[in-house]
Amino acid sequence: MRNTSNMSTDIRAAVIERVKALNGDGSVDSMALANELGVDHGKLVDGSLKTLAAADRIAMEMVSQPRWNVSDEGKSYAEQGSPEYRVYQAVSAAAPDAATVSSLDESLGPASNRGRQQALKRKWIAFGANKTEIVLGPSASSGEVVDQVSNALKLLLENAGAPGDLPADILKQLKQRKLASSKPLKTYLLTAGARVDDDRVEATEMTKDMIVSGEWRNVAFKKYNFDADGKPPEGGYLHTLLKVREQFRLIFLEMGFEEMPTNNYVESSFWNFDTLFQPQQHPARDEHDTFFISDPARAGVMDEKYLERVRETHERGGFGSRGYRYEWCEEEARKNILRTHTTAVSSRMLYLLAQEKEFKPRKYFSIDRVFRNETLDATHLAEFHQIEGLVADRNLSLGHLKGIIHEFFKKMGMEKLRFKPTHNPYTTPSLEIHSYHEGLGKWVEVGNSGVFRPEMIRPMGIPEDVTVIAWGLSLERPTMIKYGISNIRDLFGHKVDLAAIQSNPICRLTF
Ligand code: FB9
């Protein structure tokens, strides 16, 4: 039994012979050649012709030939005639008496109903005295009744689906009545290729053995296909959160803010809580809300004098404050944690600002991860990205805070804001920020804000007449609303939908 490979070698040789015999004029039709060689057209094309063409032995020009596949129902119409014609025949047989709907149903079964509609449409039949009686129609008398549908189906079946000169409207009707479906036949016009005479073995690369053996002289090297698309580079994709973060960064930079360095997830309780005048027994400071680090558990401290001022402020106040009147514990302050807010970074930056000889107003922002040991739900993970902005300048008021928050959210297309008094341990007054979201048709809490307490900024050394206003929001919430994500796990974490990341559109922050 001859195996397939030398089968196809023979076929290839036969193809080469055929095209060479053309002597440059005319072409060979692949379907005709397949019939000639007695092989299946598809196998000939995929098994031999495409390989020979790739080696430039032959050239192939694809021609699409209309072909129609007749459905099983179509086949039955071809054999028995179309339902409409069969109804017509039955009514003719009954003439001059009227046929009745029930008699037609009886004699023709399911074809009766379909046939009646089609025959009525063609005026081959008509209703008699009443709707149950059927008589011959006006077209019947003028002898125009031809079963075009059945004839067309017969023709397709006889010509292997070739429609010949069947009118387009008939074909359209066959398609609509699911009696036949178009399946163009792709055949190829074959001609001699540039290397039609070169039957040397083809090689895609020069190997050492070829060079050593000199075999390369008898090998035809596949020419480079410089048009071939290279492998699409596996590029990375920006996580959706980073796309939105970039937009927020641009808003802050446009407003003249500098980005604070936030590259330290591990923070000391001192900077995260104590410098913010957050008392050591504050509920947010216990392990129910905060992740404590076991190693290194204890933070080194740098400015002992500042630490003493913080102790003093917590215990006895100062700067117009009476403090919390409790025993402040240095060890508690030294405990390392995962920062619960980027306000810890703001505290470090304000402390550094206070160390500068001459105070210069500053506008800072930060956007980075914070960690809270919270109950997880569809919108809360144990970590999220906090966005924070602060302005340190002389004689700032609550009006400035509301003003700059308006300007900030306006850049996101959120014009309608309202403020609701709230409480933060490190700001007074403190305001929740709410915005009317047209799309959601409701007021949404879009952030928090306040004026940093004197107990926070004075011990640092920030001058008396300087006020620091600040506000914060999350990155996840606007991103989820922007990209229509309801469960935060689809946006962030090990369950994130990578395809969405890859296909998510660029971010334009106008809500
Ligand atoms: O982001 C929040 N909401 C929000 C923001 C934008 C937004 O855009 C939409 C297109 C319209 C939608 C919603 N929030 C803050 C409000 C709520 O989601 C809140 O339930 C959850 N908050 C987080 C903390 O959760 C415990 C969001 C997070 C948050 C809260 C407060 C701050 C930062 C982030 C702050 C602060 C602050 C205050 C004073 C001084 C300095 C910083």
Side-chain angles (χ1 to χ4, degrees):
M1 211 328 261
R2 295 177 48 53
N3 70 24
T4 49
S5 76
N6 45 29
M7 260 283 282
S8 52
T9 325
D10 309 353
I11 290 178
R12 287 177 200 168
V15 172
I16 295 293
E17 284 329 298
R18 277 301 270 105
V19 292
K20 277 168 85 166
L22 289 169
N23 299 330
D25 118 36
S27 63
V28 182
D29 175 76
S30 59
M31 181 60 84
L33 184 57
N35 301 341
E36 214 177 285
L37 298 172
V39 295
D40 166 71
H41 180 254
K43 286 204 180 57
L44 174 67
V45 171
D46 300 338
S48 301
L49 298 185
K50 284 187 175 158
T51 318
L52 289 170
D56 226 355
R57 305 291 312 275
I58 65 170
M60 296 167 74
E61 186 208 333
M62 200 273 278
V63 276
S64 169
Q65 313 206 18
R67 285 289 181 281
W68 289 74
N69 284 352
V70 176
S71 68
D72 297 347
E73 189 186 8
K75 288 192 182 87
S76 70
Y77 287 18
E79 282 133 26
Q80 307 160 16
S82 65
E84 58 269 25
Y85 193 72
R86 292 166 66 198
V87 166
Y88 163 74
Q89 288 174 315
V91 175
S92 318
D97 305 343
T100 63
V101 173
S102 51
S103 67
L104 289 173
D105 290 352
E106 223 160 283
S107 59
L108 299 175
S112 165
N113 179 24
R114 199 166 315 134
R116 279 202 314 279
Q117 281 153 20
Q118 292 290 340
L120 279 165
K121 202 162 72 178
R122 288 166 173 70
K123 299 193 177 11
W124 292 354
I125 63 172
F127 286 111
N130 56 50
K131 283 265 187 208
T132 63
E133 283 191 350
I134 303 286
V135 297
L136 285 176
S139 315
S141 47
S142 57
E144 292 155 35
V145 176
V146 177
D147 194 351
Q148 286 178 320
V149 167
S150 175
N151 298 346
L153 291 162
K154 282 196 202 88
L155 182 142
L156 288 176
L157 289 168
E158 284 144 13
N159 302 330
D165 56 7
L166 272 181
D169 69 329
I170 291 286
L171 289 170
K172 192 155 150 281
Q173 194 191 136
L174 296 183
K175 185 170 181 200
Q176 277 158 349
R177 294 173 67 176
K178 297 194 176 19
L179 301 173
S181 56
S182 162
K183 192 167 178 337
L185 171 67
K186 287 189 178 48
T187 64
Y188 300 86
L189 299 179
L190 311 174
T191 50
R195 292 188 49 250
V196 69
D197 299 314
D198 178 351
D199 57 9
R200 290 172 303 162
V201 180
E202 251 220 327
T204 50
E205 60 194 5
M206 168 82 81
T207 63
K208 181 170 72 44
D209 309 352
M210 283 180 187
I211 297 169
V212 175
S213 66
E215 182 45 31
W216 64 271
R217 286 190 183 75
N218 315 325
V219 166
F221 288 98
K222 205 177 191 45
K223 66 180 185 323
Y224 279 97
N225 170 3
F226 293 106
D227 308 332
D229 298 347
K231 212 160 75 50
E234 277 306 308
Y237 296 84
L238 262 186
H239 186 289
T240 314
L241 274 174
L242 297 183
K243 288 180 183 172
V244 179
R245 181 181 77 164
E246 197 49 31
Q247 293 299 309
F248 276 107
R249 291 186 73 243
L250 293 176
I251 288 176
F252 277 114
L253 296 171
E254 268 168 34
M255 295 171 70
F257 282 68
E258 297 165 65
E259 183 156 18
M260 294 186 265
T262 55
N263 53 349
N264 64 312
Y265 293 167
V266 174
E267 183 59 279
S268 65
S269 297
F270 180 74
W271 286 110
N272 194 85
F273 294 121
D274 295 278
T275 59
L276 301 179
F277 195 54
Q278 190 148 352
Q280 294 187 332
Q281 47 308 85
H282 188 285
R285 292 187 67 157
D286 64 25
E287 55 285 335
H288 295 102
D289 278 328
T290 298
F291 295 107
F292 286 82
I293 305 294
S294 54
D295 176 22
R298 200 168 173 284
V301 167
M302 58 358 262
D303 177 340
E304 293 296 338
K305 288 200 197 61
Y306 175 47
L307 178 134
E308 285 317 314
R309 292 199 297 275
V310 170
R311 175 202 306 280
E312 176 64 21
T313 310
H314 278 248
E315 293 185 347
R316 280 176 293 287
F319 324 104
S321 165
R322 60 186 297 285
Y324 294 119
R325 310 284 167 183
Y326 73 95
E327 174 70 24
W328 186 78
C329 163
E330 180 170 341
E331 277 320 299
E332 180 60 34
R334 284 175 178 274
K335 286 181 180 166
N336 275 332
I337 61 171
L338 289 181
R339 65 175 175 221
T340 63
H341 48 197
T342 55
T343 318
V345 178
S346 306
S347 181
R348 282 172 175 278
M349 294 303 286
L350 289 168
Y351 167 80
L352 291 174
L353 183 61
Q355 308 322 302
E356 290 172 8
K357 272 183 290 322
E358 201 256 329
F359 169 80
K360 281 198 292 309
R362 278 292 201 300
K363 296 198 279 190
Y364 285 134
F365 79 93
S366 63
I367 307 175
D368 211 329
R369 268 185 216 195
V370 298
F371 308 84
R372 296 191 183 178
N373 189 358
E374 276 171 347
T375 43
L376 309 185
D377 62 23
T379 59
H380 282 85
L381 287 172
E383 58 188 279
F384 69 90
H385 294 75
Q386 176 170 347
I387 300 171
E388 177 151 322
L390 72 88
V391 180
D393 200 347
R394 291 194 160 77
N395 314 322
L396 290 178
S397 70
L398 196 58
H400 290 97
L401 176 61
K402 294 168 83 173
I404 198 144
I405 289 172
H406 266 294
E407 196 188 335
F408 177 77
F409 281 96
K410 199 163 74 213
K411 290 188 178 287
M412 285 194 279
M414 287 193 258
E415 310 259 359
K416 268 199 277 188
L417 295 183
R418 63 186 185 197
F419 298 94
K420 196 167 136 224
T422 182
H423 168 77
N424 296 319
Y426 40 87
T427 53
T428 186
S430 307
L431 305 173
E432 256 179 25
I433 310 161
H434 293 254
S435 161
Y436 186 77
H437 192 276
E438 307 299 339
L440 303 170
K442 63 177 180 167
W443 284 92
V444 180
E445 182 197 347
V446 292
N448 193 311
S449 66
V451 179
F452 281 137
R453 299 180 69 99
E455 295 95 330
M456 170 184 167
I457 59 175
R458 299 283 172 262
M460 293 171 174
I462 298 279
E464 200 53 45
D465 61 348
V466 169
T467 307
V468 183
I469 56 177
W471 75 96
L473 63 157
S474 76
L475 181 62
E476 280 74 5
R477 301 291 302 126
T479 305
M480 291 170 74
I481 291 175
K482 172 96 194 128
Y483 285 89
I485 299 165
S486 57
N487 187 320
I488 195 158
R489 279 162 193 68
D490 300 334
L491 171 67
F492 192 43
H494 63 289
K495 288 211 189 99
V496 76
D497 162 0
L498 274 182
I501 298 273
Q502 288 171 356
S503 60
N504 267 341
I506 63 169
C507 170
R508 280 274 168 276
L509 259 189
T510 48
F511 289 94

